Amino acid sequence: MSLVEEYRTKCPFCSVQDDVVLKRKSTKTAFFGDDSLFKLYYDEKSGRGLCPRGNFTLELLSSPYRLRKAELFGEECSLEEAIKGTVPEIKRIIKKKNNIAILISGNHTLEEAYLAKALSGELNTELLGLFPFEDEALLSVKNKFSFNSLSESDLVVSVGDVFSLSPTLARLILDARNKKRGNRLISLDIIKGRVSLFAEHFNVGPGYMSYFLSVLLNYLEGENKLKSDEAVAGVSALKIKELAEVLKNSENGQILFSNIYGHFANPYSIVGKLSRISEITENRFAVIPIGQNSLGVGRIIGDFNNKKILDSLKEKKIEGLIVLGGDPFEFIPKFEDIFGYLNFVLSTVFFKGSNSSECRIPSAFSFEKKGSFVSLEENIVNLGEPVSPVGDAISDGDFISDLLYHLTGAKTKARVSVPKVLPFIKETDSKKPFSITNKKYPFTAVGIGLPFHHDRGEITRRVKWNEEKNEPYVFINSDIVKELSLGNKVKIETSNGSSFFKIEDCSNLPFDIPRDIIAVPVHFLQSLQLFLCDYDSDGIISPGAEKARIVK
Amino acid sequence: MKKKKAEREKRVVLDVDRCISCHACDVACYESHSEKFPLSRSNFDITMDLPLHCKHCTDASCVAVCPVEALEKREDGLVYHNSFRCIGCLSCTIACPFGVLTAKRVRHIISKCDLCYDMLQEGKEPRCVQTCTSGALSFEEITYEEEIERDRVDARIKAKPWRRL
């Protein structure tokens, strides 16, 4: 008998789904602390390593949250008691149609998403939505992507900062750029990012990306002949023509799109235009979601429901909310105001914000459950051998099955088929936007991602390595800090809200921050308050960059 | 005397033109070493947002200055830190020409890269190299001439202005 157990699984942190090998010595003693029973190995077959978030997998395995018990109305109880105890309340709420909403994270398996869909039917509600909200804009795209072809591409266009959100793609992208003389890496973004250091960077003003792409698209379709002295969103006509030529002449190009909260306005329009540009220029196009399986989960939901859900929450039209795999306080801005009006909140999270939920179910991590995902390459991939969960934690799929059993008396099995891509709805945004800033708000707050935080940072920001960064911080151009004699802390105000932030040293970023930009890492709850969580003209929730001012 | 080609040692080499400053190497070192066996502390320094760690020098100044022989240059090339001998006098941190041995003491003694010796024994590369997301870190045999060139690269890390402009 082997003394070492080996688990081949997927990294639980992003949609690249890198392979991870976990090994542990067989022992009956479980302990938690600085020493992990497990050892993490990087899969040599993929050759892509693991990003900082991926390396924290070990820390998840020894997280004390794994030992948490279920809670019902603030009291610890068994899973069975918690599930049974919620049934009468749920039955009361669902007498009225659309009286309860279900939000499911993109980190769930396809099987769990199918069960959530079945649950929504049983709960008499159409309000089933995907979070992170910014991933909803990506559901109408079928990725044309493969890891092998990426490293062979003669052109890679990164729209957004792919290196920050999915750092393990960096090796392939840099390989492609270095492969042959003439290969190009182009970065299109509203501020410089980690990709820009290695790329020809096109800086398009905040809020203008959709408009810029519509101009480029019109030029490619021959509908718009740009005047040579014209500039669009800060990019000269000459540069736009050059970009169009590069896109047209590439033989094996790849366009990648990644977004983050508070970054791009109208992401659905951006995705639509990029999709069209890739068709015209015969390049491949792929979207990189934040959630591990957002493409799969979102397609199973089958509709863009987040607008309806947020409207119902804001207008206090619903009584109940079930959140699978997240803490509503962490991802719904101003949820404190909404929370008081909800009669029933059930969450399956590990973290502190949901303490006041009526029911909390300890949820297993992705490496603790069986199931399948849609990969970036559009294949159905298996999660691999699960590590046994400790304590009372169960997968959200098992929880939904149990809940359905208690609601209906029948057992529900998840069926798995390839989920269909959502058809493109009509895009409305191609008008020239107004400038974001004005005299009252001379700065633009732009949400940025950092490669060493997970999601809103609820995991990695609490580990010792990152303890000193626990306080919310922003990056402000160092000249502005001197000119305005700003201290260590400032209050940043947007039309949506305000929060206090520490001013972080810009030398901790490998790129510069322009004078009129306040770069806001969006893994802090306080950061979310700055951005308007509302729907855009396409009807998609898209918190983009916001006008801002510094209050001393 | 410098080693001949046949006696070349493997070193962790950084390609500054590939590093995306993602800190994966930093976290991998932290996760495997901080307060854990086999090295009780991680030793990873981020300078100019680029990783800078022990070069395991051929003629290591830190070894030469250590008053208690807590540092030794082993035959396999590793500059080994014996934590039982170390008295935390910080002489090595002053002697280190690259500034990678920092004065941050944990439990009164210094911490230093061990090239993930446990991984080397399994025939694998150090964790920082294995986890590197952009292929900037490699574990390579280098010649004396390459070592000189590498020193120039390290100087470039300190001086490269475009990362700040």
Side-chain angles (χ1 to χ4, degrees):
Chain A
M1 196 183 96
S2 168
L3 289 173
V4 178
E5 294 165 7
E6 185 175 307
Y7 304 89
R8 300 187 75 83
T9 183
K10 300 277 177 195
C11 172
F13 287 100
C14 86
S15 55
V16 179
Q17 300 164 7
D18 282 306
D19 294 319
V20 171
V21 184
L22 295 165
K23 288 184 186 175
R24 62 166 278 173
K25 283 183 184 172
S26 290
T27 171
K28 286 180 181 172
T29 316
F31 62 92
F32 296 91
D34 292 322
D35 267 321
S36 175
L37 291 172
F38 287 88
K39 206 167 170 183
L40 182 143
Y41 289 81
Y42 312 96
D43 196 317
E44 286 160 14
K45 283 182 204 160
S46 78
R48 291 195 297 274
L50 274 183
C51 75
R53 295 184 293 248
N55 275 288
F56 282 120
T57 303
L58 274 180
E59 217 146 316
L60 296 191
L61 282 160
S62 55
S63 157
Y65 289 106
R66 290 180 86 219
L67 288 172
R68 217 188 62 185
K69 290 183 82 71
E71 280 176 25
L72 187 64
F73 303 112
E75 298 284 324
E76 280 196 353
C77 61
S78 71
L79 270 174
E80 180 85 9
E81 285 167 345
I83 295 169
K84 269 187 181 172
T86 59
V87 170
E89 184 64 9
I90 290 176
K91 280 189 172 168
R92 187 191 63 77
I93 289 172
I94 61 175
K95 282 179 187 161
K96 191 176 147 196
K97 191 172 167 65
N98 290 339
N99 200 20
I100 189 166
I102 305 170
L103 284 167
I104 177 169
S105 85
N107 286 348
H108 286 81
T109 62
L110 295 175
E111 291 80 355
E112 287 172 322
Y114 276 115
L115 284 166
K117 182 94 177 165
L119 180 67
S120 71
E122 205 53 53
L123 299 187
N124 195 20
T125 183
E126 291 163 357
L127 303 178
L128 171 64
L130 168 76
F131 70 94
F133 297 136
E134 51 270 41
D135 280 354
E136 198 187 39
L138 315 177
L139 300 177
S140 298
V141 175
K142 189 171 172 74
N143 275 357
K144 283 182 187 163
F145 175 87
S146 83
F147 292 108
N148 289 338
S149 64
L150 179 61
S151 61
E152 299 291 330
S153 302
D154 60 350
L155 168 72
V156 179
V157 180
S158 163
V159 184
D161 193 3
V162 176
F163 283 5
S164 284
L165 293 183
S166 300
T168 51
L169 292 179
R171 184 186 294 244
L172 304 176
I173 292 171
L174 292 175
D175 280 351
R177 187 200 66 170
N178 297 346
K179 194 131 204 157
K180 213 168 63 186
R181 193 180 172 87
N183 283 6
R184 299 177 83 158
L185 172 58
I186 290 173
S187 150
L188 263 178
D189 207 342
I190 56 173
I191 58 166
K192 280 188 175 177
R194 279 181 163 75
V195 180
S196 324
L197 297 172
F198 305 91
E200 299 160 63
H201 179 67
F202 286 71
N203 206 73
V204 179
Y208 283 81
M209 184 58 81
S210 175
Y211 171 67
F212 173 82
L213 291 173
S214 67
V215 172
L216 177 66
L217 181 58
N218 287 342
Y219 179 75
L220 282 164
E221 287 175 330
E223 289 173 15
N224 182 4
K225 284 175 185 153
L226 290 161
K227 289 175 197 163
S228 54
D229 58 345
E230 202 177 343
V232 179
V235 182
S236 70
L238 206 64
K239 279 273 185 191
I240 297 172
K241 285 176 185 173
E242 189 194 337
L243 179 60
E245 286 307 309
V246 172
L247 283 162
K248 276 195 278 189
N249 295 336
S250 71
E251 289 175 7
N252 184 22
Q254 176 80 61
I255 302 172
L256 297 169
F257 175 71
S258 66
N259 188 20
I260 195 159
Y261 206 93
H263 202 83
F264 287 122
N266 297 86
Y268 192 74
S269 291
I270 293 173
V271 166
K273 277 158 195 143
L274 286 173
S275 179
R276 183 84 189 106
I277 288 169
S278 68
E279 279 169 24
I280 294 172
T281 57
E282 295 178 2
N283 291 300
R284 284 168 285 116
F285 175 49
V287 291
I288 318 279
I290 291 169
Q292 216 177 354
N293 187 30
S294 285
L295 295 180
V297 174
R299 288 171 192 174
I300 289 167
I301 291 171
D303 205 351
F304 301 95
N305 289 336
N306 286 343
K307 173 181 175 300
K308 284 182 237 164
I309 293 173
L310 280 189
D311 281 351
S312 302
L313 284 169
K314 278 182 201 166
E315 292 162 17
K316 303 170 183 89
K317 282 183 182 168
I318 55 175
E319 283 187 73
L321 178 67
I322 295 177
V323 184
L324 302 167
D327 182 345
F329 287 92
E330 296 251 0
F331 68 90
I332 302 177
K334 296 184 179 169
F335 186 68
E336 324 70 80
D337 302 340
I338 299 163
F339 183 69
Y341 291 92
L342 290 169
N343 288 330
F344 179 76
V345 178
L346 184 151
S347 65
T348 64
V349 289
F350 282 74
F351 307 109
K352 292 171 188 168
S354 62
N355 284 357
S356 36
S357 299
E358 273 70 21
C359 180
R360 294 202 298 167
I361 303 291
S363 170
F365 285 118
S366 73
F367 49 74
E368 292 174 323
K369 55 193 179 192
K370 282 183 179 171
S372 46
F373 280 175
V374 171
S375 72
L376 281 186
E377 294 176 314
E378 294 285 351
N379 298 322
I380 303 283
V381 292
N382 202 298
L383 257 175
E385 184 69 20
V387 176
S388 312
V390 294
D392 279 356
I394 56 167
S395 74
D396 284 356
D398 289 343
F399 157 68
I400 298 170
S401 292
D402 287 354
L403 183 60
L404 280 169
Y405 178 73
H406 286 291
L407 282 167
T408 63
K411 287 196 173 177
T412 313
K413 274 193 175 178
R415 60 179 184 88
V416 174
S417 57
V418 182
K420 284 182 188 164
V421 176
L422 274 60
F424 261 110
I425 50 174
K426 194 186 166 194
E427 299 161 40
T428 52
D429 178 75
S430 57
K431 288 177 200 160
K432 187 173 181 176
F434 296 107
S435 171
I436 288 182
T437 55
N438 57 30
K439 273 188 182 172
K440 193 181 171 194
Y441 294 97
F443 296 97
T444 305
V446 175
I448 60 164
L450 297 174
F452 34 86
H453 288 94
H454 162 62
D455 197 38
R456 305 280 175 255
E458 57 261 44
I459 296 168
T460 59
R461 84 159 177 252
R462 287 177 189 150
V463 300
K464 280 184 279 174
W465 181 81
N466 218 12
E467 260 173 6
E468 63 194 62
K469 308 279 185 204
N470 242 339
E471 199 179 354
Y473 58 88
V474 291
F475 295 96
I476 300 174
N477 183 290
S478 45
D479 293 340
I480 294 288
V481 175
K482 276 183 204 161
E483 282 169 28
L484 299 180
S485 311
L486 301 174
N488 292 333
K489 251 186 159 182
V490 281
K491 187 179 177 188
I492 307 293
E493 187 182 296
T494 66
S495 52
N496 192 42
S498 63
S499 295
F500 281 95
F501 295 91
K502 191 182 134 197
I503 300 177
E504 184 68 18
D505 184 1
C506 282
S507 63
N508 286 337
L509 277 181
F511 48 90
D512 61 321
I513 301 295
R515 286 176 63 89
D516 58 342
I517 296 285
I518 298 168
V520 187
V522 286
H523 49 269
F524 295 112
L525 193 55
Q526 290 86 337
S527 308
L528 303 189
Q529 309 295 345
L530 301 182
F531 301 100
L532 195 63
C533 189
D534 212 342
Y535 52 87
D536 57 27
S537 47
D538 301 319
I540 303 290
I541 301 290
S542 63
E546 281 280 335
K547 60 186 174 186
R549 65 176 178 171
I550 297 168
V551 184
K552 281 197 226 173
Chain B
M1 200 177 137
K2 303 295 170 197
K3 295 204 171 198
K4 290 175 192 168
K5 200 169 182 179
E7 297 169 322
R8 287 184 305 184
E9 294 160 358
K10 277 192 165 185
R11 306 286 173 80
V12 177
V13 180
L14 171 70
D15 179 351
V16 285
D17 291 328
R18 285 189 80 111
C19 179
I20 64 164
S21 310
C22 74
H23 294 234
C25 47
D26 188 8
V27 178
C29 185
Y30 170 88
E31 279 296 317
S32 56
H33 285 126
S34 275
E35 296 169 44
K36 286 173 192 167
F37 181 81
L39 184 73
S40 57
R41 290 148 291 278
S42 68
N43 168 229
F44 224 87
D45 196 24
I46 300 291
T47 304
M48 308 284 281
D49 242 319
L50 294 164
L52 203 59
H53 46 328
C54 180
K55 315 286 167 212
H56 298 271
C57 303
T58 310
D59 296 320
S61 333
C62 57
V63 175
V65 299
C66 182
V68 290
E69 295 179 358
L71 288 160
E72 74 174 283
K73 176 75 179 173
R74 295 186 357 174
E75 282 186 4
D76 56 6
L78 178 73
V79 173
Y80 175 72
H81 174 237
N82 188 332
S83 53
F84 292 106
R85 285 189 182 171
C86 181
I87 55 169
C89 69
L90 301 185
S91 304
C92 51
T93 65
I94 297 162
C96 177
F98 299 103
V100 295
L101 276 174
T102 56
K104 288 176 201 160
R105 284 177 290 193
V106 183
R107 291 180 195 152
H108 312 295
I109 57 173
I110 62 132
S111 61
K112 195 195 149 298
C113 165
D114 68 347
L115 279 179
C116 293
Y117 193 65
D118 58 324
M119 295 300 258
L120 297 185
Q121 280 182 319
E122 291 182 32
K124 296 183 185 300
E125 295 179 330
R127 289 180 179 86
C128 54
V129 177
Q130 282 191 60
T131 200
C132 181
T133 56
S134 61
L137 288 175
S138 55
F139 192 52
E140 292 175 14
E141 291 178 345
I142 55 168
T143 60
Y144 175 61
E145 289 74 23
E146 284 166 335
E147 193 174 342
I148 297 286
E149 177 56 30
R150 198 181 53 144
D151 290 351
R152 286 201 195 108
V153 170
D154 286 334
R156 193 174 154 203
I157 293 174
K158 299 266 186 194
K160 203 167 188 178
W162 55 263
R163 287 204 170 247
R164 290 286 165 271
L165 294 175

